[in-house]
Amino acid sequence: MKLHILFICCLISFAAQAQHILTGKITLEGQNETAFGASVYISELKTGTIADTSGSYRIDGIPTGVYTIKVSYISMPTVTEKNVRISANTSKDFTLKPGSNSLEEVVVTGTMKEVSKLDSPVPVDIITAKFIYKNPVPSIFEGLSYVNGVRPQLNCNVCNTGDIHMNGLEGPYTMVLIDGMPMVSGLSTVYGLSGIPNSLIERVEIVKGPASTLYGSEAVGGLINIITKNPSKAPIFSADVFSTTWRDVNVDLGVKFTPNERTSSLLGVNYFNYQNPIDNNGDGFTDLTLQNRISFFNKWSFNLKNNRQANIAARYYYEDRWGGEMRWNKTFRGGDQVYGESIYTKRYEVLGNYQLPGPEKLTLQYSFSSHHQNSVYGKVPFNADQKIAFAQLLWDKEIGKHNLLFGTPFRYTFYNDNTTATRHLDGQDHPDKILLPGIFVQDEIRAGAHALLLGARYDYNSRHGSIFTPRVAYKYKFNQTDVVRLNVGRGFRIVNLFTEDHAALTGSRQVIVKEALNPEQSWNANINFVKKIVTGNSFVGFDASVFYTHFTNRILPDYDTDPNQIIYNNLDGYAVSKGVSLNLDFNFPFPLKIIAGGTYMENFQKENGVRFRPVLTEKFTGVWSVSYEMPRAGLSFDYTGNIYGPMRLPVLGPEDPRAKTSPVWSLQNIQITRKFDNGLEIYGGIKNLLNFTPPSNSIARANDPFDKNVKFDDQGQVIATPDNPYRQTFDPSYVFAPNQGIRGFLGIRYTFR
């Protein structure tokens, strides 16, 4: 009898520990394509898999029990099925239907239309808020440091302003949009990338290559579209606060209001404060600019009749920043006793869109920005005022296989400063007032696996006349795993030195503009290939591009002809930027995810038969992000990093003792996050693990910033003296990396939905 009882107990124990298999197929409603790459996840077991090229999936080792199964796919709502009992090998199929609650893989930047990333004829990179949180930063400017082919570049050792380089092209060739509106340009190219609350960012879409056909001047090398959260889908309250061992503090707050069922509003506040002067490299100057910055952002969303939408947003930004000699204070502002660069910035923005009533899909987009800057660079004042008004009417029309988009943009720019840029022969300031009306048309033709995008834009600049920018894009979708794209287009940009090139204002170099600067013009082409590979429960994404840009006119600063001057003139020759980039995305069956990318570039300018590489353009870059999660413990680990190849640096002639090229350098960070069920997260880690900093002598003659002890000859050239054997003048433009070394950080994040 005892043996029978023991045998029965063993059978019960075996049955309880039996491991079953769940299989099935995932299909897309109304589509012939399979749901390749769809995610199947069992919530209770915290395990899952990915559907193969036929849409089939398989999960092994499932104990007997009742489970919740979630199925997710790009551009489709997540399907959740509860109380699924598995007591034997089970087969279960799912059908995914289109809907409004889709995953965040819909892009709008490439074509101005919502389309899944895979179906876009223009390649678009997506950076989610979750990616930015892997290495918390006080501004989106720093957050882009770990995106392949994108490099935030500091332009001054003293005030730490910067811009965004893309595929080796300088910051002015990159257009920055907020919710599709051209809000960051001119003066704000340097200062406007800070103060956008990270907690309000839904995602960032990046297009590398020509986009002037849709977005006009400045979108030569590509564009960055910062898309803020939809108030109706945002959490009720969010907060993110962190600090580092340098005693800087960043605060992000977000609050949602819902006055009625058709109206929702999102208010965001960003505050950053750093008031702890540090001089670790011993040059007598602050290593990091002291800053006091606050930004308010308010966005309203309205659901109108017939599913029409309207949005309006406003932002106010104020910043007081200074860098300079450690003993500087505001009593020395603008004087020649103690050197400092002090910048007061005030900025207002309004942007929105409104879908007009009626049978046609007509949308009015509009924006206005006012940017005022009161600054001094040593004893040189720079006061500037810029106002930009923009409006655009879009008509989206489908005719058969033709998906047409018509636009009528209009842009008005007012600019005035106290430099020679706006001072005429009568000695008075005459503000620049530029009118830029235009029209563009885009035709997207789809035929099976083929998609052809044709675009053309005509603008009339009140100063430079007619501007024509065509574009063509072709996409072929071999299957659900392989896509190839070809893009060719023209770029066009008008240069304003004093709003774009900080070196024109700082240091003691004289700015020489030899002739009237003509608009820059270029042709750009790139080929993109995407492949997805599923091996068992693992997923590998492969994204490769080859790019080529040819400038027929390019305006670059000449630091070489005369070490005491920065010379600008029209290009007598041509310039080329070309290269290849590769992105890899690894998803494993266990909770490990790796994202890695690299770009190799060849940038050169050829003028008067001489070929040379522009300053501050690297040969190669690499980025990576490694994430590992322990769901049951609520822990996650993130290791992020980048690496940059050597750059040619702006030295003061052949006698300058500073290195002519930068070393290979890398910034690496590690973060640990503890997540709680109530929406609370605590995170901390170390930034700049390798403790990399630029050379301590980066600022030339930091001991004599006003050149009081520099001797000049009759031709204005520096004379060698015992105090100045290398014939240097004060120059803070020699900068390629931040001066902050290794430091710890700690933060807390809370989200209430």
Side-chain angles (χ1 to χ4, degrees):
M1 184 66 181
K2 291 181 179 179
L3 290 174
H4 283 83
I5 294 173
L6 182 61
F7 179 71
I8 292 171
C9 289
C10 289
L11 287 176
I12 293 173
S13 177
F14 178 78
Q17 297 179 15
Q19 304 289 299
H20 309 299
I21 300 172
L22 176 64
T23 59
K25 189 168 186 176
I26 305 171
T27 56
L28 306 176
E29 184 182 67
Q31 298 187 32
N32 296 324
E33 298 175 345
T34 64
F36 164 70
S39 171
V40 184
Y41 185 75
I42 301 177
S43 300
E44 290 78 5
L45 300 179
K46 300 189 183 301
T47 187
T49 188
I50 295 171
D52 61 19
T53 53
S54 66
S56 300
Y57 72 91
R58 175 187 173 113
I59 302 178
D60 296 321
I62 304 174
T64 299
V66 177
Y67 301 103
T68 301
I69 301 176
K70 294 183 178 181
V71 181
S72 303
Y73 185 68
I74 294 172
S75 76
M76 294 285 184
T78 298
V79 172
T80 302
E81 188 160 340
K82 299 180 179 180
N83 301 319
V84 177
R85 180 166 184 80
I86 299 178
S87 57
N89 291 346
T90 304
S91 178
K92 190 164 188 60
D93 297 336
F94 294 90
T95 299
L96 302 180
K97 302 177 181 180
S100 58
N101 299 320
S102 58
L103 294 179
E104 301 297 340
E105 280 287 317
V106 173
V107 297
V108 297
T109 306
T111 61
M112 281 192 183
K113 297 183 179 185
E114 286 195 353
V115 62
S116 72
K117 179 181 176 181
L118 195 64
D119 288 335
S120 172
V122 177
V124 181
D125 292 338
I126 299 177
I127 308 302
T128 63
K130 185 177 180 180
F131 181 85
I132 297 173
Y133 288 156
K134 293 179 185 295
N135 177 40
V137 290
S139 72
I140 190 63
F141 172 78
E142 298 174 54
L144 296 174
S145 299
Y146 305 95
V147 179
N148 189 20
V150 178
R151 182 172 66 84
Q153 167 64 44
L154 290 176
N155 293 328
C156 175
N157 255 313
V158 180
C159 69
N160 293 159
T161 55
D163 52 25
I164 303 293
H165 288 210
M166 188 177 293
N167 284 345
L169 294 178
E170 289 74 12
Y173 299 104
T174 302
M175 173 174 273
V176 181
L177 312 170
I178 300 178
D179 287 335
M181 296 289 101
M183 302 303 297
V184 181
S185 61
L187 277 173
S188 58
T189 300
V190 177
Y191 304 99
L193 286 168
S194 303
I196 301 172
N198 290 337
S199 60
L200 300 188
I201 296 176
E202 186 69 48
R203 65 186 187 274
V204 180
E205 297 182 0
I206 300 173
V207 175
K208 301 169 188 173
S212 295
T213 300
L214 286 183
Y215 296 98
S217 180
E218 297 169 24
V220 176
L223 59 90
I224 298 171
N225 190 5
I226 300 170
I227 298 176
T228 59
K229 291 181 178 178
N230 185 334
S232 63
K233 299 179 181 179
I236 295 174
F237 175 77
S238 64
D240 191 356
V241 182
F242 74 88
S243 179
T244 77
T245 51
W246 279 47
R247 304 206 319 249
D248 53 333
V249 178
N250 185 79
V251 180
D252 270 341
L253 300 175
V255 181
K256 181 174 78 171
F257 304 93
T258 309
N260 56 60
E261 61 180 11
R262 289 184 172 270
T263 306
S264 55
S265 176
L266 183 61
L267 174 64
V269 179
N270 170 255
Y271 177 69
F272 179 77
N273 185 278
Y274 172 67
Q275 302 295 325
N276 179 37
I278 292 177
D279 179 24
N280 285 337
N281 62 9
D283 62 0
F285 277 69
T286 53
D287 291 344
L288 178 66
T289 302
L290 282 77
Q291 301 170 57
N292 189 25
R293 178 177 73 232
I294 190 164
S295 173
F296 297 93
F297 183 89
N298 189 207
K299 184 176 182 179
W300 290 77
S301 179
F302 306 93
N303 294 321
L304 308 177
K305 293 181 179 180
N306 301 320
N307 294 321
R308 302 286 176 173
Q309 298 286 321
N311 296 279
I312 185 170
R315 182 168 77 115
Y316 170 75
Y317 170 91
Y318 173 80
E319 183 181 66
D320 174 3
R321 69 160 59 201
W322 75 267
E325 293 186 80
M326 292 289 287
R327 56 196 179 96
W328 189 91
N329 60 57
K330 292 185 179 180
T331 62
F332 296 106
R333 192 175 195 266
D336 63 354
Q337 298 302 311
V338 180
Y339 188 90
E341 298 185 2
S342 171
I343 303 161
Y344 301 142
T345 303
K346 291 182 181 179
R347 181 172 175 83
Y348 309 87
E349 298 171 352
V350 177
L351 64 154
N353 62 73
Y354 173 69
Q355 287 185 299
L356 278 63
E360 298 294 337
K361 295 175 67 175
L362 290 168
T363 303
L364 175 65
Q365 298 179 327
Y366 55 90
S367 67
F368 174 80
S369 65
S370 175
H371 188 110
H372 180 74
Q373 182 179 324
N374 179 340
S375 53
V376 293
Y377 301 88
K379 62 181 180 180
V380 179
F382 177 69
N383 299 311
D385 185 29
Q386 175 181 273
K387 295 178 175 63
I388 299 177
F390 176 82
Q392 179 169 262
L393 184 63
L394 298 177
W395 180 26
D396 190 348
K397 181 72 173 177
E398 274 195 55
I399 304 176
K401 295 182 179 180
H402 297 265
N403 198 332
L404 297 166
L405 181 69
F406 299 91
T408 55
F410 176 82
R411 184 169 176 171
Y412 169 76
T413 302
F414 170 94
Y415 176 77
N416 191 24
D417 65 24
N418 63 321
T419 73
T420 56
T422 57
R423 189 174 300 120
H424 288 205
L425 295 177
D426 59 6
Q428 301 296 317
D429 279 345
H430 294 264
D432 276 346
K433 299 177 182 179
I434 298 176
L435 299 175
L436 190 65
I439 185 171
F440 68 81
V441 60
Q442 175 181 273
D443 184 9
E444 187 175 352
I445 308 164
R446 294 186 179 272
H450 303 270
L452 179 65
L453 183 75
L454 303 173
R457 179 183 180 117
Y458 172 80
D459 292 294
Y460 183 81
N461 186 290
S462 57
R463 177 187 295 174
H464 294 282
S466 298
I467 305 168
F468 179 66
T469 48
R471 176 171 75 160
V472 60
Y474 171 74
K475 177 181 74 71
Y476 182 75
K477 192 174 183 179
F478 296 93
N479 46 49
Q480 282 292 93
T481 63
D482 304 326
V483 173
V484 65
R485 300 179 176 96
L486 171 65
N487 280 254
V488 179
R490 189 185 183 208
F492 182 96
R493 196 181 75 86
I494 297 168
V495 177
N496 187 333
L497 301 180
F498 294 94
T499 66
E500 298 169 357
D501 195 343
H502 181 84
L505 298 167
T506 188
S508 60
R509 294 188 190 229
Q510 183 183 6
V511 177
I512 304 295
V513 182
K514 284 194 168 183
E515 56 189 333
L517 300 180
N518 298 324
E520 295 184 313
Q521 300 183 51
S522 68
W523 283 95
N524 180 292
N526 66 68
I527 300 174
N528 172 252
F529 176 66
V530 176
K531 185 175 182 63
K532 299 180 179 180
I533 304 170
V534 174
T535 57
N537 293 342
S538 301
F539 172 88
V540 179
F542 176 95
D543 190 326
S545 295
V546 177
F547 56 89
Y548 182 91
T549 302
H550 182 94
F551 288 88
T552 54
N553 186 39
R554 190 178 184 188
I555 312 298
L556 287 178
D558 176 4
Y559 290 90
D560 303 320
T561 300
D562 189 324
N564 300 312
Q565 297 178 343
I566 306 175
I567 301 172
Y568 296 91
N569 58 4
N570 296 305
L571 177 62
D572 184 13
Y574 65 91
V576 169
S577 171
K578 59 184 179 180
V580 59
S581 68
L582 173 64
N583 289 301
L584 296 173
D585 189 349
F586 300 91
N587 289 268
F588 298 94
F590 44 94
L592 175 67
K593 184 172 183 178
I594 300 175
I595 300 173
T599 301
Y600 178 82
M601 295 167 286
E602 181 68 32
N603 294 323
F604 67 87
Q605 185 166 317
K606 191 169 184 178
E607 190 166 15
N608 300 321
V610 179
R611 171 173 161 163
F612 58 92
R613 183 154 59 109
V615 296
L616 298 174
T617 56
E618 64 278 17
K619 280 274 189 179
F620 66 86
T621 65
V623 296
W624 62 86
S625 170
V626 181
S627 301
Y628 184 82
E629 294 188 9
M630 301 173 63
R632 295 186 180 182
L635 291 173
S636 61
F637 303 86
D638 294 294
Y639 168 51
T640 55
N642 54 37
I643 186 169
Y644 300 110
M647 310 173 197
R648 192 168 74 89
L649 300 175
V651 295
L652 293 168
E655 297 175 350
D656 195 324
R658 298 176 296 178
K660 306 301 185 288
T661 59
S662 67
V664 175
W665 58 283
S666 174
L667 299 178
Q668 301 177 27
N669 323 282
I670 191 167
Q671 174 182 264
I672 302 175
T673 305
R674 174 68 165 92
K675 298 179 181 179
F676 299 87
D677 294 336
N678 60 358
L680 179 68
E681 298 180 20
I682 299 176
Y683 58 89
I686 299 174
K687 291 178 178 287
N688 197 354
L689 284 167
L690 302 181
N691 196 27
F692 175 81
T693 55
S696 59
N697 65 340
S698 292
I699 300 178
R701 286 193 64 80
N703 63 326
D704 184 20
F706 295 101
D707 291 339
K708 293 182 178 181
N709 297 318
V710 177
K711 305 298 182 183
F712 297 89
D713 61 19
D714 295 338
Q715 285 73 42
Q717 299 300 307
V718 180
I719 300 173
T721 63
D723 177 63
N724 188 15
Y726 302 113
R727 301 198 304 153
Q728 291 181 308
T729 55
F730 174 70
D731 178 30
S733 63
Y734 181 98
V735 57
F736 59 92
N739 281 315
Q740 284 183 289
I742 188 171
R743 59 202 183 277
F745 67 93
L746 182 67
I748 184 170
R749 188 179 296 126
Y750 178 70
T751 303
F752 177 69
R753 297 188 180 277

mmCIF file of all heavy atoms in Angstrom, residues 21 24 82 101 165 193 310 355 444 491 605 720:
data_model
loop_
_atom_site.group_PDB
_atom_site.id
_atom_site.type_symbol
_atom_site.label_atom_id
_atom_site.label_comp_id
_atom_site.label_asym_id
_atom_site.label_seq_id
_atom_site.Cartn_x
_atom_site.Cartn_y
_atom_site.Cartn_z
ATOM 1 N N ILE A 21 5.185 22.910 -24.255
ATOM 2 C CA ILE A 21 5.599 23.757 -25.375
ATOM 3 C C ILE A 21 4.385 24.533 -25.877
ATOM 4 O O ILE A 21 3.307 23.954 -26.071
ATOM 5 C CB ILE A 21 6.184 22.911 -26.520
ATOM 6 C CG1 ILE A 21 7.419 22.133 -26.026
ATOM 7 C CG2 ILE A 21 6.565 23.806 -27.695
ATOM 8 C CD1 ILE A 21 7.939 21.141 -27.041
ATOM 9 N N GLY A 24 2.541 28.444 -32.222
ATOM 10 C CA GLY A 24 1.443 29.087 -32.927
ATOM 11 C C GLY A 24 1.952 29.963 -34.047
ATOM 12 O O GLY A 24 3.153 30.003 -34.344
ATOM 13 N N LYS A 82 -5.635 36.865 -21.313
ATOM 14 C CA LYS A 82 -5.466 36.400 -19.944
ATOM 15 C C LYS A 82 -6.065 35.007 -19.760
ATOM 16 O O LYS A 82 -6.839 34.527 -20.585
ATOM 17 C CB LYS A 82 -6.119 37.389 -18.968
ATOM 18 C CG LYS A 82 -5.531 38.797 -19.021
ATOM 19 C CD LYS A 82 -6.219 39.719 -18.027
ATOM 20 C CE LYS A 82 -5.608 41.115 -18.074
ATOM 21 N NZ LYS A 82 -6.278 42.035 -17.111
ATOM 22 N N ASN A 101 -3.467 52.364 -30.587
ATOM 23 C CA ASN A 101 -2.508 52.155 -29.501
ATOM 24 C C ASN A 101 -1.327 51.324 -29.969
ATOM 25 O O ASN A 101 -1.018 50.273 -29.435
ATOM 26 C CB ASN A 101 -3.203 51.461 -28.323
ATOM 27 C CG ASN A 101 -4.331 52.287 -27.770
ATOM 28 O OD1 ASN A 101 -4.204 53.492 -27.668
ATOM 29 N ND2 ASN A 101 -5.436 51.656 -27.429
ATOM 30 N N HIS A 165 27.122 67.702 -34.808
ATOM 31 C CA HIS A 165 27.724 67.256 -36.060
ATOM 32 C C HIS A 165 27.059 65.951 -36.492
ATOM 33 O O HIS A 165 26.813 65.073 -35.670
ATOM 34 C CB HIS A 165 29.225 67.028 -35.879
ATOM 35 C CG HIS A 165 30.015 68.286 -35.727
ATOM 36 N ND1 HIS A 165 31.324 68.403 -36.139
ATOM 37 C CD2 HIS A 165 29.689 69.497 -35.215
ATOM 38 C CE1 HIS A 165 31.766 69.623 -35.892
ATOM 39 N NE2 HIS A 165 30.793 70.306 -35.314
ATOM 40 N N LEU A 193 19.477 74.085 -27.779
ATOM 41 C CA LEU A 193 19.331 72.640 -27.605
ATOM 42 C C LEU A 193 19.237 72.250 -26.132
ATOM 43 O O LEU A 193 19.005 71.088 -25.816
ATOM 44 C CB LEU A 193 20.511 71.911 -28.260
ATOM 45 C CG LEU A 193 20.460 71.883 -29.778
ATOM 46 C CD1 LEU A 193 21.786 71.409 -30.337
ATOM 47 C CD2 LEU A 193 19.350 70.986 -30.262
ATOM 48 N N ALA A 310 -5.907 69.122 -33.132
ATOM 49 C CA ALA A 310 -5.260 70.428 -33.038
ATOM 50 C C ALA A 310 -4.342 70.409 -31.831
ATOM 51 O O ALA A 310 -4.679 69.834 -30.786
ATOM 52 C CB ALA A 310 -6.280 71.551 -32.931
ATOM 53 N N GLN A 355 -5.893 70.807 -37.924
ATOM 54 C CA GLN A 355 -6.484 70.124 -39.072
ATOM 55 C C GLN A 355 -7.786 70.818 -39.441
ATOM 56 O O GLN A 355 -8.738 70.832 -38.647
ATOM 57 C CB GLN A 355 -6.736 68.656 -38.747
ATOM 58 C CG GLN A 355 -5.466 67.817 -38.683
ATOM 59 C CD GLN A 355 -5.768 66.341 -38.472
ATOM 60 O OE1 GLN A 355 -6.358 65.957 -37.478
ATOM 61 N NE2 GLN A 355 -5.369 65.516 -39.417
ATOM 62 N N GLU A 444 4.490 60.030 -53.434
ATOM 63 C CA GLU A 444 4.945 58.705 -53.049
ATOM 64 C C GLU A 444 4.119 57.669 -53.791
ATOM 65 O O GLU A 444 2.895 57.600 -53.626
ATOM 66 C CB GLU A 444 4.824 58.505 -51.539
ATOM 67 C CG GLU A 444 5.441 57.212 -51.058
ATOM 68 C CD GLU A 444 5.429 57.083 -49.548
ATOM 69 O OE1 GLU A 444 5.073 58.072 -48.863
ATOM 70 O OE2 GLU A 444 5.774 55.999 -49.047
ATOM 71 N N GLY A 491 20.991 70.052 -51.408
ATOM 72 C CA GLY A 491 20.980 70.844 -50.192
ATOM 73 C C GLY A 491 21.294 72.297 -50.487
ATOM 74 O O GLY A 491 22.003 72.619 -51.442
ATOM 75 N N GLN A 605 38.286 69.032 -48.315
ATOM 76 C CA GLN A 605 38.001 70.202 -49.138
ATOM 77 C C GLN A 605 39.169 70.394 -50.089
ATOM 78 O O GLN A 605 40.340 70.267 -49.687
ATOM 79 C CB GLN A 605 37.827 71.430 -48.248
ATOM 80 C CG GLN A 605 37.396 72.689 -48.994
ATOM 81 C CD GLN A 605 36.908 73.759 -48.032
ATOM 82 O OE1 GLN A 605 36.180 73.466 -47.097
ATOM 83 N NE2 GLN A 605 37.330 74.993 -48.264
ATOM 84 N N ALA A 720 58.043 86.691 -31.273
ATOM 85 C CA ALA A 720 58.493 85.786 -30.224
ATOM 86 C C ALA A 720 59.220 86.565 -29.137
ATOM 87 O O ALA A 720 60.074 87.416 -29.423
ATOM 88 C CB ALA A 720 59.398 84.708 -30.804
#
